[in-house]
Structure formats: structure tokens, C-alpha cells
Amino acid sequence: MQSRHPDAYQFLPKTYVLPEDWKRLRQCEGENDCELLIIKPLADSCGRGIHVVNNINQIPNNKSYVVSKYISNPYLINKLKFDLRLYVLVTSYEPLKVYFYSDGLTRFATNTYEPEKGALDDRFMHLTNYSVNKFAPKFQPNTSEDADDQGSKWSWLGLKRHLEQQGIHEGNYVPQIKDTIIKTLISAETYIKPLLRFTPSPQSCFELYGFDIMFDDHLKPWLIEVNISPSLTQGSPLDRKVKSGLLNDVVSIVHPEPPLPHFESGSEQEIFALLDREYERKGDFELIFPCLDGEKYFEYFESHSKSNELALKWLQNMNRK
């Protein structure tokens, strides 16, 4: 997608998948010293095997890795790196329906970010993974659901309050995050839609994603990764508050409903009726696609979708009421 729409997909750091991209990696980064790269084993989780290198010869050549440009100018709070875990629910890819949850998590590294002084192997400075930093000497656990802007894990709402206190309104960064989410899911749609033919109907499945976002020092959001199985473990009062509300609203919005046999499958009547029922029980989710300016995204879809046009028409009609 970056090759087809390079200007629109500038939110993902340059990334290589090894071993397939070894040649491209050497061509782009050189044979020896390079800008910092972050190395992640494929199909692993919880920060296992992640490390930072400044020379591609430090990358093992006998394993599969995702290698990305390291964001070396992160936005800092109290001199610490952090990233966001934001929750996104997709209830359909035909039409594409995307819901953005109102809360999420802000996860901090625990050592002061001083790359000019710190070693590349200082995982507590470079990595924001909660599963890594909870073992750090400077880790500050959350002890109250109301203390959502303290310690080593905040809520998304707590972070927005903090930024607002610094004079940074959410209008400066939230629209860009939503744009990143929508474009990312459009890029995956080509690979997911064909699988829907094995389901009873396009409405019979859903997916909850965990989007990991990091700000640079200009408050530009960068997509770090998308998790198809975000952790729902509730290891602290703050986790319980955020994730129990999340789960409640997921169950509510995807609650099985009887089919609508009197409507033709994929028809305007069926799509409108399903969107009506879904929207009524969205809870603290926000519908971000379709959106009122959704036509601007149509060029990124690989093929024309009548159902996406109908979903947009439903939203426009609802907005006029």
C-alpha cells in the first residue's frame, strides 16, 4: 500500500520482513553501521526477543524477524518513552465497519530516555512493553483505577488529560490516529474479504484489534504494530476498569441477532437495518468508518464496494435527522 499511495501511508516506519527482505535491507541500510533498527521475532509476543541494533550484522540470519526503523525522537513524558494500546473493533469488512474504543492504555518505559548515554541493550529504556517493564527496578504499579495518570501504566483518557494540561488539544493528534486506523484496515481488507466466503454471512464474525501507536516529538502518531489477540488480562485496578468496560461493549455490539430474512443479502435495506441495530448498542465505542468524509478513503480500496457506499449513505441519512 505504501508503494501505491506513498504520501497517504507515511505513518508506518520503514519495515523489512526477514529473511525475504535481506537484500532490500542491505541496499537501504548499508552493510555495516546504520540508523537504529528495532528487531522483533515473527509470531512472538510480550516483548520476547525484541532488541535494538545499529549494525545489520548484529541481526541473526537464521531466524525470521520483522525489522523496523527505530523511532529515535519519541515524545517523552517525565523523560520516559511510552506507547499506546488502543482498541478497535471491526464488525464487518463488507461493508467495512470500524469502531474505536473511548479508552485504552498508555505504557511507559521505566528508564530515562537518554540514547546518547544508554546502551542498546537497555530494554527498560528502549521498550515500552508492559510485560518487559513490570520486572524493572523502577517500575511503578497501578494501585487504583482512579489513578489513571500515575505510575508506569496510564489510561488513554489519562494521557489526553495530561496533554490537555500541557496545552495540547486532542484535535491535534486524535484525527491522525483515526486516519491511521482506517487506512491500516483498508490495506488488510484485500486479504481478509476472500476468507468471508467461508462464513455463513459477512455479519457472522468480528475482530477486536489492539493498535500500538507511538508519538514522535512532533506528536505525529506512528503505527508500531497491530495485535489480533490483544491481551485482556486484568492485572491491576486500571486494567480491570478499562478492559471490563471494553469487553462489556464488545459483547453488546456483536451480540447475535436473528437474521433479517425479508431483506435481500447485501441490499440497502439489510445494511441499513444492521447498522441501525449495531449503532444503538455501541456503548463507549465510536463509529469511525463509515465516516461523513468517507469518500476520501474509497481510492485506497483495491476494488469498488457498493456496500461501503451504502454504509456511507446510511450515515449521511442519520446525520440529517
Side-chain angles (χ1 to χ4, degrees):
M1 192 65 83
Q2 280 185 321
S3 61
R4 287 169 49 200
H5 303 282
D7 294 335
Y9 278 79
Q10 290 299 313
F11 51 78
L12 182 70
K14 185 179 288 187
T15 299
Y16 312 88
V17 179
L18 304 183
E20 292 87 348
D21 287 340
W22 262 116
K23 182 178 179 180
R24 189 167 70 93
L25 174 62
R26 290 192 175 97
Q27 289 174 340
C28 295
E29 306 300 332
E31 290 289 344
N32 297 301
D33 291 344
C34 59
E35 296 182 29
L36 292 183
L37 301 170
I38 188 161
I39 316 301
K40 305 176 184 180
L42 278 177
D44 219 330
S45 60
C46 299
R48 287 186 289 266
I50 300 178
H51 56 285
V52 178
V53 302
N54 59 5
N55 187 310
I56 66 171
N57 294 316
Q58 298 166 343
I59 305 173
N61 58 14
N62 60 345
K63 293 184 179 180
S64 297
Y65 285 95
V66 175
V67 179
S68 299
K69 284 280 193 180
Y70 181 82
I71 298 173
S72 57
N73 61 328
Y75 189 89
L76 304 178
I77 293 179
N78 299 324
K79 299 183 179 180
L80 300 173
K81 280 183 63 174
F82 66 91
D83 77 349
L84 308 172
R85 165 59 58 84
L86 303 175
Y87 299 101
V88 175
L89 177 67
V90 175
T91 58
S92 167
Y93 276 93
E94 186 64 58
L96 181 61
K97 293 183 289 185
V98 183
Y99 293 86
F100 180 41
Y101 193 59
S102 62
D103 208 353
L105 297 171
T106 306
R107 306 170 301 184
F108 285 86
T110 46
N111 283 353
T112 300
Y113 186 70
E114 297 177 318
E116 69 283 355
K117 298 180 182 179
L120 292 180
D121 60 358
D122 186 349
R123 288 163 60 82
F124 301 141
M125 177 180 75
H126 291 292
L127 304 186
T128 55
N129 306 64
Y130 175 75
S131 53
V132 170
N133 283 282
K134 66 182 180 180
F135 298 109
K138 296 180 181 179
F139 177 74
Q140 300 177 29
N142 169 260
T143 57
S144 168
E145 66 176 39
D146 296 323
D148 66 346
D149 58 357
Q150 301 174 28
S152 297
K153 184 187 285 188
W154 295 7
S155 71
W156 167 229
L157 294 177
L159 175 69
K160 290 198 291 184
R161 285 199 314 273
H162 171 84
L163 293 176
E164 190 73 38
Q165 291 166 1
Q166 306 303 309
I168 303 171
H169 184 63
E170 65 178 75
N172 294 324
Y173 55 90
V174 172
Q176 293 94 319
I177 289 176
K178 294 177 182 177
D179 181 71
T180 294
I181 291 168
I182 293 167
K183 288 176 178 173
T184 299
L185 292 168
I186 291 174
S187 72
E189 182 235 25
T190 302
Y191 305 96
I192 295 175
K193 274 179 63 174
L195 302 176
L196 297 178
R197 67 178 182 269
F198 300 110
T199 64
S201 81
Q203 311 300 324
S204 63
C205 51
F206 69 93
E207 191 75 68
L208 177 67
Y209 297 102
F211 273 70
D212 292 350
I213 301 287
M214 182 175 289
F215 292 128
D216 65 19
D217 55 8
H218 298 291
L219 221 63
K220 174 183 175 177
W222 291 89
L223 177 64
I224 304 303
E225 63 182 30
V226 181
N227 297 268
I228 59 172
S229 298
S231 172
L232 298 175
T233 302
Q234 301 180 13
S236 72
L238 180 59
D239 282 323
R240 285 192 291 275
K241 178 183 179 181
V242 172
K243 295 177 183 180
S244 61
L246 168 70
L247 286 171
N248 181 70
D249 285 348
V250 168
V251 171
S252 175
I253 202 170
V254 302
H255 185 271
E257 291 280 358
L260 303 170
H262 53 292
F263 294 141
E264 180 184 350
S265 178
S267 67
E268 177 176 315
Q269 294 92 336
E270 183 192 54
I271 288 174
F272 280 26
L274 288 168
L275 277 162
D276 281 337
R277 292 197 311 195
E278 206 170 83
Y279 195 79
E280 288 174 358
R281 55 179 189 262
K282 65 184 178 62
D284 287 328
F285 276 103
E286 176 189 359
L287 180 66
I288 63 171
F289 195 87
C291 51
L292 290 175
D293 58 350
E295 287 185 357
K296 71 180 183 182
Y297 291 104
F298 287 174
E299 66 175 297
Y300 306 123
F301 287 90
E302 189 169 84
S303 58
H304 172 265
S305 171
K306 182 65 175 177
S307 64
N308 284 332
E309 292 181 348
L310 290 173
L312 175 58
K313 180 180 178 181
W314 167 85
L315 184 63
Q316 291 169 337
N317 290 345
M318 189 183 69
N319 194 59
R320 295 189 190 106
K321 295 177 181 178

